[in-house]
Amino acid sequence: MTAGNDTVVLVVQDEDTTSPDEVARWLREHLAGWPAHDVLLIGVVVGELYDNARRHGSPPFVLELVLDRWREALVVSVRDRALRRTAPWRPAAGLLLVDALSTRWGVLTQAAFTTVWAELVFDD
């Protein structure tokens, strides 16, 4: 890796227009040249976060990948327009996978949006 930051964003305006399979294809295109095991790891995390957004939120869904080449880390985040939650976040099976596969993860709730993010760190 060389030093610097790279960001790619996918915005899904309508939940019926972009399926999880299409998101997976988009992800593979943007990760062309990455090691297969890293692509698989990132794909599982992205899939869980995107599925969660579709299940618990509403469009637009904003999927962002931010590569920090200095730290050899990738931050994956998915933002959705969410209903106001009254109960605290509890990790279910999908978020337990995200927890196990990522260095750290979290939830940011702002006004009408919820962003769930996960940081993945890669070794050379």
Side-chain angles (χ1 to χ4, degrees), residues 40-121:
L40 180 61
L41 171 80
I42 296 164
V44 170
V45 171
V46 166
E48 290 300 331
L49 296 184
Y50 185 68
D51 286 347
N52 240 15
R54 287 172 51 104
R55 187 174 308 120
H56 301 291
S58 60
F61 305 111
V62 179
L63 169 59
E64 184 176 54
L65 307 175
V66 179
L67 177 62
D68 181 343
R69 293 177 185 269
W70 288 103
R71 295 181 47 244
E72 296 184 2
L74 180 72
V75 176
V76 174
S77 65
V78 178
R79 185 181 76 212
D80 62 75
R81 186 175 306 278
L83 299 174
R84 197 83 167 135
R85 292 184 63 87
T86 56
W89 273 82
R90 290 183 326 190
L95 289 178
L96 290 174
L97 271 172
V98 170
D99 183 56
L101 296 174
S102 63
T103 304
R104 60 193 178 123
W105 70 277
V107 179
L108 176 62
T109 303
Q110 300 173 312
F113 294 98
T114 298
T115 302
V116 182
W117 59 270
E119 180 183 64
L120 307 168
V121 177

